[in-house]
Amino acid sequence: MIEFLLLDLDDTILDFHKAERLALSKTFRAFGLEPTEAVLNRYHEINKWHWEQLEKGRLTRPQVLEGRFVQLFRELGLAVDAAQCMKSYEHNLSIGHYFLPGAEEAVKRLHEKYRLFLLSNGTAVVQQGRLTSANLYPWFEKVFISQEMGFNKPDKQFFDRCFAQISGFDPDKALMVGDSLTSDIQGGINAGVRTVWVNPAHKVAGKIRPDYEIEALPQLEALLEELY
């Protein structure tokens, strides 16, 4: 019987891609850069690489947050203050939220039957702003943000610190639910809990194998009923 649901935030509950695109566009325009598809796509590539290096322990969070803008502006030949751009982007990203279809209602229903915990790799000030804007705090017993925990998903130490703060925690009664194979699913595996991959695009898992797979968070309810 499942008792503890460990939920990721971005692209599991909230639509991060939409929020990111709007925040980036506003930020780039403020610094004199038109957010064309080519510019946004290149930023995404650079950003993805930087976060992957963080997950592998090869870069620090400050190196990721500022370094992605440093690299983009260097490639574009622009003399832009990357640190100021980063601050502007984080502010723009923190002031809004967009739920994935059915996710808000799913969280509220899951809260009635299970103990919910949020586990995010995002930047603390950004995630706190988005969680407040979306009024998600009341539905979670605790919120764990990697920047505050001192370790990032998928590091086992991140999960160990989270579990130590959950009263009566039993890994056999827990599920880690998230959209990232390298962060959420590998993290759950490292921590010794079963995993549910949110995979709307029907990607192939590859070497990292989740225990279960759903297209979107609303499908988790039916899956949990099957696990009783």
Side-chain angles (χ1 to χ4, degrees), residues 174-178 184-190 192-197 208-213 223:
L175 282 180
M176 176 67 219
V177 183
D184 304 312
I185 305 308
Q186 186 61 58
I189 293 170
N190 293 345
V193 299
R194 284 176 285 173
T195 59
V196 180
W197 185 26
I208 303 174
R209 307 296 297 183
D211 294 289
Y212 312 101
E213 185 176 329
L223 172 62

mmCIF file of all heavy atoms in Angstrom, residues 174-178 184-190 192-197 208-213 223:
data_model
loop_
_atom_site.group_PDB
_atom_site.id
_atom_site.type_symbol
_atom_site.label_atom_id
_atom_site.label_comp_id
_atom_site.label_asym_id
_atom_site.label_seq_id
_atom_site.Cartn_x
_atom_site.Cartn_y
_atom_site.Cartn_z
ATOM 1 N N ALA A 174 6.473 4.172 -0.610
ATOM 2 C CA ALA A 174 6.681 5.465 -1.266
ATOM 3 C C ALA A 174 6.824 5.324 -2.773
ATOM 4 O O ALA A 174 7.288 4.298 -3.283
ATOM 5 C CB ALA A 174 7.914 6.143 -0.695
ATOM 6 N N LEU A 175 6.434 6.377 -3.488
ATOM 7 C CA LEU A 175 6.631 6.473 -4.929
ATOM 8 C C LEU A 175 7.237 7.826 -5.257
ATOM 9 O O LEU A 175 6.768 8.862 -4.765
ATOM 10 C CB LEU A 175 5.306 6.354 -5.681
ATOM 11 C CG LEU A 175 4.669 4.984 -5.883
ATOM 12 C CD1 LEU A 175 3.360 5.153 -6.647
ATOM 13 C CD2 LEU A 175 5.600 4.068 -6.657
ATOM 14 N N MET A 176 8.287 7.833 -6.089
ATOM 15 C CA MET A 176 8.826 9.075 -6.634
ATOM 16 C C MET A 176 8.223 9.269 -8.016
ATOM 17 O O MET A 176 8.329 8.406 -8.891
ATOM 18 C CB MET A 176 10.351 8.979 -6.739
ATOM 19 C CG MET A 176 11.001 10.209 -7.385
ATOM 20 S SD MET A 176 10.839 11.703 -6.367
ATOM 21 C CE MET A 176 10.517 12.956 -7.625
ATOM 22 N N VAL A 177 7.567 10.418 -8.221
ATOM 23 C CA VAL A 177 6.847 10.686 -9.464
ATOM 24 C C VAL A 177 7.436 11.922 -10.131
ATOM 25 O O VAL A 177 7.468 13.001 -9.536
ATOM 26 C CB VAL A 177 5.346 10.920 -9.192
ATOM 27 C CG1 VAL A 177 4.593 11.118 -10.500
ATOM 28 C CG2 VAL A 177 4.755 9.772 -8.379
ATOM 29 N N GLY A 178 7.899 11.766 -11.364
ATOM 30 C CA GLY A 178 8.461 12.918 -12.048
ATOM 31 C C GLY A 178 8.698 12.677 -13.516
ATOM 32 O O GLY A 178 8.626 11.539 -14.001
ATOM 33 N N ASP A 184 14.582 12.565 -11.525
ATOM 34 C CA ASP A 184 13.539 11.969 -10.687
ATOM 35 C C ASP A 184 13.626 10.444 -10.629
ATOM 36 O O ASP A 184 13.612 9.855 -9.542
ATOM 37 C CB ASP A 184 12.159 12.377 -11.202
ATOM 38 C CG ASP A 184 11.986 13.874 -11.276
ATOM 39 O OD1 ASP A 184 12.314 14.544 -10.282
ATOM 40 O OD2 ASP A 184 11.537 14.380 -12.315
ATOM 41 N N ILE A 185 13.702 9.825 -11.781
ATOM 42 C CA ILE A 185 13.666 8.361 -11.819
ATOM 43 C C ILE A 185 14.990 7.779 -11.307
ATOM 44 O O ILE A 185 14.981 6.881 -10.449
ATOM 45 C CB ILE A 185 13.353 7.855 -13.233
ATOM 46 C CG1 ILE A 185 12.040 8.478 -13.736
ATOM 47 C CG2 ILE A 185 13.272 6.332 -13.234
ATOM 48 C CD1 ILE A 185 10.867 8.324 -12.792
ATOM 49 N N GLN A 186 16.103 8.291 -11.805
ATOM 50 C CA GLN A 186 17.383 7.802 -11.293
ATOM 51 C C GLN A 186 17.519 8.119 -9.810
ATOM 52 O O GLN A 186 18.058 7.322 -9.037
ATOM 53 C CB GLN A 186 18.540 8.427 -12.065
ATOM 54 C CG GLN A 186 19.912 7.864 -11.683
ATOM 55 C CD GLN A 186 20.020 6.382 -11.949
ATOM 56 O OE1 GLN A 186 19.849 5.935 -13.076
ATOM 57 N NE2 GLN A 186 20.291 5.591 -10.908
ATOM 58 N N GLY A 187 17.008 9.280 -9.396
ATOM 59 C CA GLY A 187 17.044 9.638 -7.984
ATOM 60 C C GLY A 187 16.257 8.678 -7.123
ATOM 61 O O GLY A 187 16.711 8.256 -6.063
ATOM 62 N N GLY A 188 15.061 8.323 -7.578
ATOM 63 C CA GLY A 188 14.253 7.355 -6.842
ATOM 64 C C GLY A 188 14.937 6.006 -6.751
ATOM 65 O O GLY A 188 14.916 5.345 -5.694
ATOM 66 N N ILE A 189 15.553 5.591 -7.850
ATOM 67 C CA ILE A 189 16.295 4.324 -7.845
ATOM 68 C C ILE A 189 17.438 4.388 -6.841
ATOM 69 O O ILE A 189 17.643 3.464 -6.048
ATOM 70 C CB ILE A 189 16.830 4.024 -9.260
ATOM 71 C CG1 ILE A 189 15.666 3.735 -10.212
ATOM 72 C CG2 ILE A 189 17.800 2.848 -9.236
ATOM 73 C CD1 ILE A 189 16.056 3.666 -11.676
ATOM 74 N N ASN A 190 18.181 5.485 -6.864
ATOM 75 C CA ASN A 190 19.299 5.651 -5.926
ATOM 76 C C ASN A 190 18.825 5.611 -4.478
ATOM 77 O O ASN A 190 19.539 5.131 -3.594
ATOM 78 C CB ASN A 190 20.020 6.975 -6.186
ATOM 79 C CG ASN A 190 20.730 7.015 -7.529
ATOM 80 O OD1 ASN A 190 20.941 5.982 -8.163
ATOM 81 N ND2 ASN A 190 21.095 8.204 -7.970
ATOM 82 N N GLY A 192 16.157 4.029 -3.346
ATOM 83 C CA GLY A 192 15.511 2.782 -2.967
ATOM 84 C C GLY A 192 14.010 2.844 -2.882
ATOM 85 O O GLY A 192 13.394 2.096 -2.111
ATOM 86 N N VAL A 193 13.391 3.723 -3.695
ATOM 87 C CA VAL A 193 11.931 3.785 -3.736
ATOM 88 C C VAL A 193 11.468 3.516 -5.163
ATOM 89 O O VAL A 193 12.209 3.714 -6.124
ATOM 90 C CB VAL A 193 11.388 5.153 -3.263
ATOM 91 C CG1 VAL A 193 11.793 5.421 -1.832
ATOM 92 C CG2 VAL A 193 11.860 6.282 -4.181
ATOM 93 N N ARG A 194 10.230 3.043 -5.297
ATOM 94 C CA ARG A 194 9.679 2.804 -6.617
ATOM 95 C C ARG A 194 9.432 4.136 -7.335
ATOM 96 O O ARG A 194 9.259 5.174 -6.706
ATOM 97 C CB ARG A 194 8.389 1.996 -6.513
ATOM 98 C CG ARG A 194 8.620 0.513 -6.235
ATOM 99 C CD ARG A 194 7.304 -0.227 -6.041
ATOM 100 N NE ARG A 194 6.708 0.071 -4.741
ATOM 101 C CZ ARG A 194 5.503 -0.343 -4.372
ATOM 102 N NH1 ARG A 194 4.753 -1.041 -5.216
ATOM 103 N NH2 ARG A 194 5.041 -0.050 -3.170
ATOM 104 N N THR A 195 9.412 4.082 -8.658
ATOM 105 C CA THR A 195 9.339 5.308 -9.448
ATOM 106 C C THR A 195 8.214 5.260 -10.478
ATOM 107 O O THR A 195 7.867 4.204 -11.001
ATOM 108 C CB THR A 195 10.663 5.557 -10.185
ATOM 109 O OG1 THR A 195 10.939 4.432 -11.047
ATOM 110 C CG2 THR A 195 11.808 5.718 -9.202
ATOM 111 N N VAL A 196 7.670 6.447 -10.762
ATOM 112 C CA VAL A 196 6.653 6.617 -11.803
ATOM 113 C C VAL A 196 7.133 7.717 -12.742
ATOM 114 O O VAL A 196 7.342 8.859 -12.319
ATOM 115 C CB VAL A 196 5.283 7.006 -11.217
ATOM 116 C CG1 VAL A 196 4.258 7.160 -12.338
ATOM 117 C CG2 VAL A 196 4.813 5.978 -10.203
ATOM 118 N N TRP A 197 7.306 7.373 -13.992
ATOM 119 C CA TRP A 197 7.788 8.329 -14.985
ATOM 120 C C TRP A 197 6.604 8.989 -15.676
ATOM 121 O O TRP A 197 5.759 8.316 -16.260
ATOM 122 C CB TRP A 197 8.653 7.604 -16.004
ATOM 123 C CG TRP A 197 9.315 8.482 -17.023
ATOM 124 C CD1 TRP A 197 9.651 9.794 -16.881
ATOM 125 C CD2 TRP A 197 9.722 8.108 -18.341
ATOM 126 N NE1 TRP A 197 10.251 10.259 -18.016
ATOM 127 C CE2 TRP A 197 10.313 9.249 -18.928
ATOM 128 C CE3 TRP A 197 9.661 6.909 -19.055
ATOM 129 C CZ2 TRP A 197 10.833 9.228 -20.226
ATOM 130 C CZ3 TRP A 197 10.178 6.890 -20.343
ATOM 131 C CH2 TRP A 197 10.757 8.035 -20.918
ATOM 132 N N ILE A 208 17.800 3.869 -17.947
ATOM 133 C CA ILE A 208 17.154 4.198 -16.674
ATOM 134 C C ILE A 208 15.707 3.703 -16.747
ATOM 135 O O ILE A 208 14.902 4.235 -17.509
ATOM 136 C CB ILE A 208 17.201 5.705 -16.388
ATOM 137 C CG1 ILE A 208 18.644 6.200 -16.392
ATOM 138 C CG2 ILE A 208 16.531 6.026 -15.056
ATOM 139 C CD1 ILE A 208 18.788 7.710 -16.260
ATOM 140 N N ARG A 209 15.385 2.710 -15.948
ATOM 141 C CA ARG A 209 14.104 2.037 -16.058
ATOM 142 C C ARG A 209 13.165 2.379 -14.895
ATOM 143 O O ARG A 209 13.391 1.963 -13.764
ATOM 144 C CB ARG A 209 14.310 0.519 -16.095
ATOM 145 C CG ARG A 209 15.289 0.050 -17.156
ATOM 146 C CD ARG A 209 14.806 0.344 -18.559
ATOM 147 N NE ARG A 209 13.567 -0.357 -18.869
ATOM 148 C CZ ARG A 209 12.972 -0.311 -20.058
ATOM 149 N NH1 ARG A 209 13.466 0.442 -21.021
ATOM 150 N NH2 ARG A 209 11.864 -1.000 -20.260
ATOM 151 N N PRO A 210 12.088 3.116 -15.157
ATOM 152 C CA PRO A 210 11.102 3.381 -14.114
ATOM 153 C C PRO A 210 10.275 2.135 -13.831
ATOM 154 O O PRO A 210 10.169 1.246 -14.678
ATOM 155 C CB PRO A 210 10.235 4.487 -14.718
ATOM 156 C CG PRO A 210 10.323 4.241 -16.187
ATOM 157 C CD PRO A 210 11.726 3.744 -16.440
ATOM 158 N N ASP A 211 9.688 2.083 -12.650
ATOM 159 C CA ASP A 211 8.802 0.957 -12.327
ATOM 160 C C ASP A 211 7.467 1.070 -13.046
ATOM 161 O O ASP A 211 6.888 0.054 -13.458
ATOM 162 C CB ASP A 211 8.568 0.904 -10.812
ATOM 163 C CG ASP A 211 9.830 0.579 -10.051
ATOM 164 O OD1 ASP A 211 10.277 -0.571 -10.128
ATOM 165 O OD2 ASP A 211 10.384 1.482 -9.395
ATOM 166 N N TYR A 212 6.986 2.303 -13.189
ATOM 167 C CA TYR A 212 5.697 2.532 -13.829
ATOM 168 C C TYR A 212 5.804 3.760 -14.721
ATOM 169 O O TYR A 212 6.731 4.570 -14.597
ATOM 170 C CB TYR A 212 4.595 2.754 -12.785
ATOM 171 C CG TYR A 212 4.584 1.725 -11.685
ATOM 172 C CD1 TYR A 212 5.130 2.004 -10.435
ATOM 173 C CD2 TYR A 212 4.045 0.451 -11.900
ATOM 174 C CE1 TYR A 212 5.141 1.058 -9.423
ATOM 175 C CE2 TYR A 212 4.049 -0.503 -10.901
ATOM 176 C CZ TYR A 212 4.608 -0.193 -9.661
ATOM 177 O OH TYR A 212 4.619 -1.140 -8.671
ATOM 178 N N GLU A 213 4.841 3.904 -15.609
ATOM 179 C CA GLU A 213 4.855 5.025 -16.554
ATOM 180 C C GLU A 213 3.437 5.524 -16.783
ATOM 181 O O GLU A 213 2.515 4.730 -16.937
ATOM 182 C CB GLU A 213 5.485 4.568 -17.866
ATOM 183 C CG GLU A 213 5.678 5.658 -18.895
ATOM 184 C CD GLU A 213 6.414 5.150 -20.141
ATOM 185 O OE1 GLU A 213 7.247 4.223 -19.996
ATOM 186 O OE2 GLU A 213 6.143 5.674 -21.239
ATOM 187 N N LEU A 223 -3.414 4.299 -11.300
ATOM 188 C CA LEU A 223 -2.267 3.445 -11.067
ATOM 189 C C LEU A 223 -2.171 3.077 -9.587
ATOM 190 O O LEU A 223 -1.935 1.910 -9.244
ATOM 191 C CB LEU A 223 -0.977 4.149 -11.502
ATOM 192 C CG LEU A 223 0.327 3.444 -11.146
ATOM 193 C CD1 LEU A 223 0.424 2.085 -11.820
ATOM 194 C CD2 LEU A 223 1.529 4.321 -11.530
#
